[in-house]
Amino acid sequence: MKNFVKNRKKKLISSNRSLLLLNILFYIAFILFLLPLFNQGLARVMHLSGLSYLTTQNIASFLLAPHTLLFLLITIIVIILFFYIKLTLIIHYCHIDDRLNRSNVFLIIVSGIYNAIKQLVKGNFGLLLFTGPFYILNLFSVLICVVFQTSFELSGGRNDELFIQGLITAFLLLISLIAYRGIFTAHYCINENLSFSEAFERSKALLKGRNTKTILRLLLVDLILAVCYFIVYYAVLIITAVIIYLFWDKSIVISLFLSTYQKLGVYSTLVYGMIAFIININVISTMYHNYRAEQKNMEALSGNTIVLPQKYEQVKKHPYLVTFLLIITFSFGLINFFLSLRDDTLFIMEEAFTPIEISSHRGNSHVAPENTIPALENAIVALSDSAEIDVQLTKDGVPVLFHDKTLWRIAGINKYISDMTYEELSQLDVGVWFSPQFADTRIPTLEEAMEYCKGKINLNIEIKVHNNSHELTQKLVELIHKYDYEYQCVVSSSDYNALVMIKRLNDKIKTGYILSGAYGNFYNRENIDFFSIRSGFVTKNVVDGAHEAGKEVHVWTVNAPVEIERMKSIGVDCIITDNPTLAKEIIYRDDTNATIIAFMRQMLRKRSLYRLVNFLNQ
C-alpha cells in the first residue's frame, strides 16, 4: 500500500497537469467541431421534419423518421469514435510518460491518434464498443451525483422519483461491474498490441488475487472525489449567494441567484467529471504498471510495448509538420465554430429543450414606462430572456415603439400615431404619466431599441395591425437584416398575412400568431413557429396540440402567482409578464436548493453588512 501511495503521489505530480491539458484540448475540439456539426445536422433534420421545436409530444414521430434515424446513427458512431480516441490518447500518454522523463503532449496526441486508428485497422472493434462501459466505470461517482441531483417530475411524487433514481443507479452499477472485469483491457490493447479478446482475458488474470485492494482503491478515490466535490460545490453556492446579495439590487437577488444556480450546477459537474476521469485513469494506469511489474518482474513490459515509444520517436522527428497540422485543424474548427455562432445553430439543442422563458411585457413595464428605453433597460436588469415590444409606423414611415393607436393614455393627446410625424412625436413626454422619475422620456424608434438591446436581450417584436402593416413589415425585415437580428428576435402579430410576408422576405425569422382565444384545430398553420395566446384560454390540451405540431406556446399577460404556477404546470414555452422577477422566482424555485434560498431570504431581511456578518457568525 505504501508503494502504491508513493507511486500515486509521483504520478499525480508528474502527469495530471498534462492529462488535464489533454482533457481541455478534447473539450475544445468537442466545442469547435462536434457541437456545431451536431447542431447544424439537428437543425437540418428538424427542418426536413417540418419542426421548429422538439417536445415530448412530437419526439417519438421525429425519432422514427428515416432521416432522423440516419442522423442519429452517424452521430452515435462519431461520438463513440471521439471518446474512443480520447481514451486511447490518455492511456497512450500514461504509458509513454511512465517511460520518458519528459514528453511533449502535442507529439503524443499525433502518435496516439495513429495508435487509435491502428487498433481499428487491426480489427480491434471490441475495444471501440468497450469504450462506453469503461467511461461509466471511471465516471461512476460523477454519474451518481448527477442522478440524485436531477429532479424527475413524476405523478407518484418522491417515492417514484427515488425508484427511478435507484433503477438508474442499479443499471450504472451493473455496467460498471461488467467494465471492472476488463479494467485493464484497454491498457493491454494499446500498450501491448493485443487483440480485444486476449486483452480481456489477460485483464481478468491480472486482477486475480488483487480484487479486494483494486476495488478498495477505486472506492477510496471516488469517495474522496465526491466529498471534495460537494464541499467545493456548496461553498461556491454560498459564496455566490453572498456576492449577489452584496453587489446586486435587492429586488432581483433571488431571481439572479435562481438563474445562476443551474449554470453553477452544470459547470461544476463538468469540472468534477473532468478531474474525476483524469484521476481515475491515472489510478488504473498506475495499478496496471505496478501489477505487471509484480507479475513479470518488469520483463513483460518489453517486446510489443516498445512499438509505441518508437512511433512517438518517429513523430518527434517532424515537430514543425505536427505543429502545422494542429494549427490547420484548429483553424478549421474555429471557422466552423464562428459560422455556427453567426447562424445561431450552435445552441439549437439547448433551445429545443429549454425551460420556460420569461418575456418582459412592453419592456419591464412593472417598473418603467412601457415601450421605452428605460423599460428595456429594466428588462435587462431583471434578467428577462426577452422583451416584448409593440411597433407601428408614424405618418412619415418611421417604425416606433408604441402600443395604443392613440396617444391619449400615455401622452394625454387625442391623436393617432399614424397621423403624426416622428419629429412631432419626439417632442412628447411619455414617462411623466408613469412617474416623475421618468420625466422627459421619449418614444423610441425601433432602430434605437434594436441598437440598445443588441447582444443584451432578445426581442419579441409585435406588429400592430393598422392599414400600413405591409409597409411596416417590409421596414421591419430591413432593420432585422441591417442589425443581424434574425436570431435575436421573434416577430408576432394578430395579422396572419403580415407573418406570411415576414417568412417570404426572410424565412430565418421566427414568427408567432397572436390569438385572443384558442378553439378548434389551429395548430398546423404554415409560416408560424409559435402561438401567442391569452393565458386564460390556454389548457394542457392546447399546449400538447401545439407541441405535437412542432410549435411553441407563448402566453400573455401573466402576472398572478397562481396563473404563473398553472402555466408552468401545463408546460408553456414562454410567459409574457409585467413582473419578470416574480415569474423567474416561481419558475426556477422548485429546481433550486431550498436551504440556499432560505439563506438568501434571511440575508434580505438583514439589510446591512454588519447584520449580515452577525448572521453568518450565529
Side-chain angles (χ1 to χ4, degrees):
M1 187 68 181
K2 287 181 180 179
N3 185 47
F4 172 78
V5 172
K6 184 179 178 181
N7 283 324
R8 179 93 305 271
K9 184 178 179 181
K10 180 183 177 182
K11 182 67 71 177
L12 285 172
I13 295 171
S14 64
S15 300
N16 278 352
R17 282 184 189 172
S18 297
L19 286 176
L20 182 62
L21 176 59
L22 273 176
N23 263 275
I24 291 171
L25 287 173
F26 267 92
Y27 271 105
I28 292 171
F30 182 84
I31 292 170
L32 294 183
F33 294 97
L34 291 193
L35 185 61
L37 291 174
F38 172 77
N39 282 302
Q40 288 163 16
L42 180 61
R44 181 63 182 162
V45 171
M46 287 174 64
H47 179 73
L48 289 173
S49 300
L51 299 174
S52 60
Y53 183 70
L54 291 179
T55 69
T56 52
Q57 285 79 17
N58 63 29
I59 190 75
S61 59
F62 171 73
L63 291 175
L64 292 174
H67 47 265
T68 305
L69 291 173
L70 178 61
F71 170 72
L72 290 176
L73 178 62
I74 294 171
T75 299
I76 290 168
I77 292 171
V78 170
I79 288 175
I80 290 174
L81 283 171
F82 179 83
F83 285 104
Y84 159 74
I85 290 172
K86 177 182 175 182
L87 176 64
T88 304
L89 268 177
I90 289 175
I91 292 176
H92 178 70
Y93 171 81
C94 290
H95 179 59
I96 289 181
D97 189 62
D98 192 62
R99 284 153 179 71
L100 300 176
N101 293 327
R102 188 176 179 183
S103 53
N104 187 304
V105 173
F106 295 103
L107 296 179
I108 291 176
I109 288 175
V110 177
S111 61
I113 291 173
Y114 168 86
N115 187 54
I117 296 170
K118 183 180 175 182
Q119 295 294 325
L120 296 180
V121 171
K122 284 174 57 181
N124 240 354
F125 295 108
L127 180 59
L128 191 66
L129 298 175
F130 187 69
T131 299
F134 191 72
Y135 267 88
I136 290 174
L137 174 64
N138 280 274
L139 295 172
F140 183 76
S141 63
V142 182
L143 295 172
I144 294 302
C145 289
V146 171
V147 168
F148 283 92
Q149 284 183 314
T150 303
S151 297
F152 299 90
E153 295 183 4
L154 302 168
S155 57
R158 183 58 181 158
N159 289 335
D160 280 3
E161 188 173 32
L162 286 172
F163 174 76
I164 293 297
Q165 289 170 335
L167 202 62
I168 295 172
T169 301
F171 173 76
L172 293 174
L173 184 60
L174 177 63
I175 297 297
S176 297
L177 289 173
I178 294 170
Y180 171 75
R181 295 188 67 203
I183 192 170
F184 302 122
T185 301
H187 293 77
Y188 273 111
C189 288
I190 295 161
N191 298 343
E192 304 191 31
N193 288 320
L194 300 181
S195 67
F196 177 78
S197 56
E198 187 180 355
F200 194 84
E201 292 303 318
R202 290 277 191 97
S203 176
K204 288 194 293 184
L206 194 61
L207 279 171
K208 195 171 181 180
R210 300 182 176 92
N211 277 300
T212 302
K213 63 180 180 180
T214 301
I215 291 172
L216 285 176
R217 285 167 181 170
L218 291 174
L219 288 176
L220 179 63
V221 169
D222 272 357
L223 180 62
I224 292 171
L225 286 170
V227 170
C228 291
Y229 165 70
F230 280 108
I231 290 173
V232 172
Y233 174 64
Y234 282 101
V236 169
L237 277 183
I238 292 172
I239 291 169
T240 302
V242 173
I243 290 172
I244 290 173
Y245 169 81
L246 292 175
F247 296 103
W248 268 265
D249 188 277
K250 303 301 181 288
S251 63
I252 65 163
V253 292
I254 298 295
S255 175
L256 178 58
F257 180 76
L258 289 170
S259 301
T260 307
Y261 176 86
Q262 291 186 329
K263 293 183 179 68
L264 283 175
V266 172
Y267 295 145
S268 60
T269 302
L270 285 174
V271 173
Y272 173 36
M274 185 191 296
I275 294 171
F277 185 76
I278 290 170
I279 292 177
N280 276 315
I281 283 286
N282 228 334
V283 168
I284 292 171
S285 295
T286 300
M287 287 193 291
Y288 165 76
H289 288 110
N290 287 349
Y291 293 170
R292 291 290 281 130
E294 292 170 9
Q295 187 185 53
K296 295 284 185 177
N297 294 321
M298 291 299 287
E299 71 232 20
L301 293 178
S302 61
N304 285 334
T305 56
I306 298 174
V307 172
L308 293 180
Q310 282 182 345
K311 177 52 60 181
Y312 172 79
E313 290 299 329
Q314 291 175 24
V315 173
K316 193 176 178 181
K317 293 175 183 177
H318 307 284
Y320 296 111
L321 178 61
V322 170
T323 304
F324 176 74
L325 289 174
L326 288 173
I327 290 172
I328 291 294
T329 302
F330 276 91
S331 296
F332 172 77
L334 283 170
I335 292 169
N336 185 45
F337 178 78
F338 285 114
L339 286 175
S340 299
L341 278 180
R342 186 198 66 183
D343 297 335
D344 201 45
T345 54
L346 185 62
F347 303 109
I348 188 171
M349 195 67 186
E350 181 183 352
E351 291 175 2
F353 298 100
T354 187
I356 299 171
E357 291 186 359
I358 303 300
S359 183
S360 290
H361 185 226
R362 303 177 193 171
N364 194 351
S365 55
H366 180 67
V367 296
E370 64 185 58
N371 282 312
T372 61
I373 297 300
L376 293 171
E377 180 185 1
N378 279 280
I380 295 166
V381 169
L383 302 174
S384 304
D385 298 298
S386 64
E388 184 268 347
I389 57 175
D390 306 287
V391 177
Q392 51 185 300
L393 281 182
T394 62
K395 183 179 180 180
D396 51 344
V398 179
V400 295
L401 273 59
F402 207 82
H403 177 271
D404 300 354
K405 282 187 178 182
T406 75
L407 292 154
W408 179 253
R409 180 174 64 90
I410 301 297
I413 299 172
N414 193 19
K415 283 188 176 182
Y416 289 98
I417 290 285
S418 56
D419 289 338
M420 297 184 70
T421 64
Y422 177 66
E423 186 178 351
E424 292 170 334
L425 288 173
S426 64
Q427 306 303 315
L428 302 178
D429 187 332
V430 292
V432 72
W433 72 273
F434 186 88
S435 166
Q437 174 188 350
F438 296 101
D440 295 326
T441 299
R442 305 302 173 188
I443 297 174
T445 65
L446 175 59
E447 190 164 10
E448 288 172 340
M450 293 173 82
E451 283 181 339
Y452 180 78
C453 294
K454 181 68 176 174
K456 299 175 185 174
I457 191 171
N458 291 343
L459 293 176
N460 177 349
I461 304 170
E462 180 183 340
I463 299 173
K464 301 309 291 182
V465 182
H466 298 305
N467 294 332
N468 54 6
S469 62
H470 184 84
E471 183 186 355
L472 174 58
T473 301
Q474 285 186 314
K475 292 195 172 182
L476 172 57
V477 173
E478 287 171 6
L479 283 171
I480 290 173
H481 178 73
K482 177 181 177 181
Y483 287 96
D484 195 23
Y485 245 80
E486 283 92 345
Y487 302 104
Q488 201 188 316
C489 76
V490 299
V491 176
S492 58
S493 181
S494 57
D495 184 351
Y496 179 71
N497 291 326
L499 300 177
V500 172
M501 186 175 175
I502 290 284
K503 284 291 189 184
R504 264 192 217 137
L505 294 170
N506 189 336
D507 63 357
K508 293 180 181 178
I509 299 172
K510 196 172 175 183
T511 55
Y513 192 24
I514 299 175
L515 302 170
S516 295
Y519 303 100
N521 185 1
F522 55 87
Y523 311 115
N524 293 314
R525 285 228 185 191
E526 295 181 356
N527 303 297
I528 301 297
D529 297 299
F530 67 92
F531 295 101
S532 186
I533 311 171
R534 186 189 294 272
S535 67
F537 290 93
V538 179
T539 63
K540 187 73 168 65
N541 288 338
V542 169
V543 173
D544 290 347
H547 284 176
E548 214 168 309
K551 294 174 170 58
E552 299 178 10
V553 176
H554 297 200
V555 289
W556 51 274
T557 303
V558 192
N559 294 322
V562 173
E563 187 69 349
I564 295 173
E565 289 277 12
R566 188 175 78 85
M567 293 299 103
K568 178 184 176 182
S569 69
I570 63 177
V572 302
D573 304 289
C574 178
I575 292 175
I576 300 171
T577 177
D578 293 322
N579 194 341
T581 303
L582 172 66
K584 269 194 173 289
E585 286 191 33
I586 293 171
I587 295 302
Y588 286 105
R589 68 186 176 194
D590 292 345
D591 299 323
T592 309
N593 188 287
T595 304
I596 302 295
I597 293 300
F599 169 75
M600 291 196 72
R601 291 193 186 282
Q602 183 69 15
M603 286 198 298
L604 289 172
R605 294 192 187 99
K606 302 177 180 296
R607 286 291 175 179
S608 69
L609 180 60
Y610 171 77
R611 291 180 177 178
L612 171 64
V613 173
N614 283 341
F615 170 67
L616 291 173
N617 289 331
Q618 286 177 2

